Amino acid sequence: MYVSLAAPVAPVAPIAAHQLLIFLLQVGLLLLLALVFGRLARRLGMPAVVGELFVGVLLGPSFLAHVAPGLSTWLFPQDSAQFHLLDAVGQIGVLLLVGITGIHMDMGLIRRRGATAAGVSAGGLLVPLAFGVGAGFLLPATLIPAGTETLVFALFLGVAMCVSAIPVIAKTLMDMGLLHRNVGQLTLAAGMIDDAFGWFMLSIVSAMATTGLRAGNVLVSLACLAAVVIFALTVGRPLVRHAFRLTSRNEEDPGPSVATAAVLLLLAAAATHAMGLEAVFGAFVCGILIGSAGGVDPARLAPLRTVVLSGFAPIFFATAGLRMDLTSLTDPMVLLSGLGILTVAIIGKFVGAYAGARASKLNRWEALALGAGLNARGVIEVVVAMVGLRLGILSVEVYTIVVLVAIVTSLMAPPILRWAMARVEQTAEEELRGNEQLAWARQSPTNGSEPL
């Protein structure tokens, strides 16, 4: 009798010393410069993400590759395995960031102002979506990556045009003292609906890009999305609640709660990714469950929020900037296309939100303020653009244009909001809400920290 023994499997070799050195230098340098330029951007009245993206522009093909090509090649070698190490850190960061955005969504606000918010959101979604799809069909074919269906490209551009950025909107409203105003509350509620629709559409278009335009594949994707939503509404909420009850028994140590939140967000992202949907959709849905399940003290998750916003997220945005190539804008065709997309993005969002607000019986100044707030694309559009680049739907030129749209629209919001809201009288209800928020802020142990 002979027993066949399989040859022992050799262990996987650890990361090479030079590769590890480059990775550590990349992460350390990107985080350092993201901190410096992020703080500088805030001092100048701009969102921190502008400074963090600028770091990537500074160290990427737009600047360093031209000024010091030798240093650029050594520090950021054109080696996919090396760059994927940095990508992995950035992907964890963006999944946790989107999850935290979901945690901060106030579902009660949407229920209270649902009808008006839905009207504003519908206009702010459908008009820019249509404008973006139309622009996608009109752009020169040379800007569409080879092998990408024009319909998929156009739909993806439409999704990029219709999203809003809750983190940027919330920060802008807080900084300007408008969060307690009815317009501020409606902007957040409509922005939340925009975000949810955006992740939904992103998953659909991403599935179309990876599995093709066949009707059967689209139906499968829709079925998977429906399954995720049904699971979240039935099994997901009690599951999340039970998980946090088990890990929150030690009231002094928030560590288990932070780890539980991170595990749930990453596993939810993995689940939707395995289903052929976007990983960020799973993280977003799970974040909403964590925030609305009950029994989860937000203060216990503060360490996770700090690590993500101060560490992982800046690395992600700096990495996103590394893929921008502003030199492509020297091509007149690319520049004209970029100006066209920016114009379409701004007009589409303003017209849509304004029309939706007026149809909901708001006055013109309130409608204008809502258009300005929802026009801020910020971090959400950067995430969408990164997904498009990763899937091969966007070329580097269009990716650069879309990220610039996110920056420009975020910078436009504060001055227009300030101008419009100066013409809207404050009601007694708004004044009461403002006093309550001010009292809460004075008692909050996190007062003074930058909101998400």
Side-chain angles (χ1 to χ4, degrees):
M1 182 177 179
Y2 296 93
V3 178
S4 175
L5 297 176
V9 179
V12 177
I15 185 172
H18 180 71
Q19 196 176 22
L20 177 60
L21 172 64
I22 294 297
F23 172 68
L24 294 175
L25 287 174
Q26 288 174 341
V27 172
L29 184 61
L30 288 174
L31 188 54
L32 171 64
L33 293 179
L35 173 64
V36 172
F37 284 99
R39 290 178 67 88
L40 179 61
R42 286 198 295 269
R43 284 181 177 272
L44 296 175
M46 297 183 289
V49 66
V50 174
E52 293 161 0
L53 285 167
F54 179 73
V55 171
V57 173
L58 192 66
L59 298 179
S62 301
F63 183 77
L64 186 62
H66 295 278
V67 176
L71 175 61
S72 175
T73 303
W74 183 82
L75 186 58
F76 297 100
Q78 296 300 308
D79 176 17
S80 58
Q82 181 74 64
F83 214 102
H84 288 168
L85 289 173
L86 202 56
D87 274 341
V89 177
Q91 284 301 310
I92 293 175
V94 75
L95 292 174
L96 294 178
L97 175 65
V98 170
I100 290 174
T101 302
I103 293 173
H104 281 73
M105 286 186 69
D106 185 355
M107 303 307 293
L109 174 62
I110 293 180
R111 286 191 292 269
R112 290 193 303 272
R113 308 301 300 270
T116 305
V120 175
S121 180
L125 282 171
L126 298 178
V127 175
L129 177 63
F131 277 30
V133 171
F137 280 110
L138 295 175
L139 283 179
T142 53
L143 293 180
I144 303 176
T148 299
E149 295 279 351
T150 304
L151 176 59
V152 173
F153 173 81
L155 285 172
F156 193 91
L157 193 60
V159 172
M161 294 301 100
C162 74
V163 297
S164 296
I166 286 295
V168 173
I169 293 170
K171 176 67 165 62
T172 301
L173 292 172
M174 286 183 180
D175 287 349
M176 298 179 66
L178 297 176
L179 193 60
H180 68 287
R181 303 293 298 272
N182 290 336
V183 168
Q185 297 278 302
L186 279 174
T187 302
L188 278 180
M192 290 173 189
I193 298 173
D194 282 7
D195 273 5
F197 180 82
W199 297 131
F200 175 84
M201 284 297 299
L202 182 62
S203 286
I204 291 292
V205 178
S206 299
M208 292 170 66
T210 54
T211 63
L213 290 173
R214 294 185 298 276
N217 293 333
V218 176
L219 289 175
V220 169
S221 299
L222 288 172
C224 289
L225 280 169
V228 170
V229 173
I230 292 172
F231 179 85
L233 293 176
T234 55
V235 181
R237 187 166 308 203
L239 183 65
V240 168
R241 187 185 302 116
H242 183 65
F244 276 97
R245 282 177 179 170
L246 289 176
T247 57
S248 302
R249 292 175 178 175
N250 186 350
E251 297 182 358
E252 297 181 358
D253 183 14
S257 296
V258 170
T260 300
V263 167
L264 291 173
L265 291 173
L266 294 177
L267 289 182
T272 54
H273 185 69
M275 297 168 71
L277 306 174
E278 262 307 306
V280 289
F281 180 70
F284 182 70
V285 171
C286 186
I288 293 176
L289 289 179
I290 293 173
S292 62
V296 183
D297 184 2
R300 298 181 69 84
L301 300 181
L304 175 65
R305 182 180 181 279
T306 300
V307 170
V308 172
L309 294 184
S310 303
F312 282 105
I315 293 173
F316 167 76
F317 292 119
T319 305
L322 283 175
R323 288 182 162 87
M324 293 178 65
D325 187 2
L326 296 180
T327 60
S328 63
L329 297 177
T330 58
D331 184 336
M333 182 186 67
V334 177
L335 179 59
L336 287 174
S337 298
L339 291 174
I341 291 175
L342 178 61
T343 303
V344 164
I346 294 172
I347 293 177
K349 201 69 171 182
F350 264 105
V351 169
Y354 185 90
R358 294 293 282 167
S360 300
K361 297 183 170 44
L362 299 178
N363 67 45
R364 60 177 178 172
W365 297 114
E366 292 172 323
L368 184 62
L370 279 162
L374 292 174
N375 187 47
R377 298 332 199 275
V379 297
I380 304 302
E381 183 146 308
V382 175
V383 173
V384 172
M386 280 289 285
V387 171
L389 188 66
R390 176 172 57 82
L391 294 176
I393 302 174
L394 300 184
S395 62
V396 174
E397 293 84 2
V398 178
Y399 168 80
T400 300
I401 291 169
V402 172
V403 174
L404 285 176
V405 169
I407 295 173
V408 173
T409 54
S410 297
L411 294 177
M412 287 177 59
I416 299 177
L417 265 172
R418 189 176 294 110
W419 180 68
M421 289 304 296
R423 290 157 175 79
V424 179
E425 293 185 8
Q426 180 168 271
T427 65
E429 178 192 5
E430 290 175 333
E431 187 174 355
L432 179 61
R433 190 187 299 133
N435 291 334
E436 289 175 352
Q437 290 183 3
L438 184 62
W440 179 87
R442 287 172 176 168
Q443 296 171 4
S444 173
T446 58
N447 185 29
S449 63
E450 183 183 357
L452 178 65

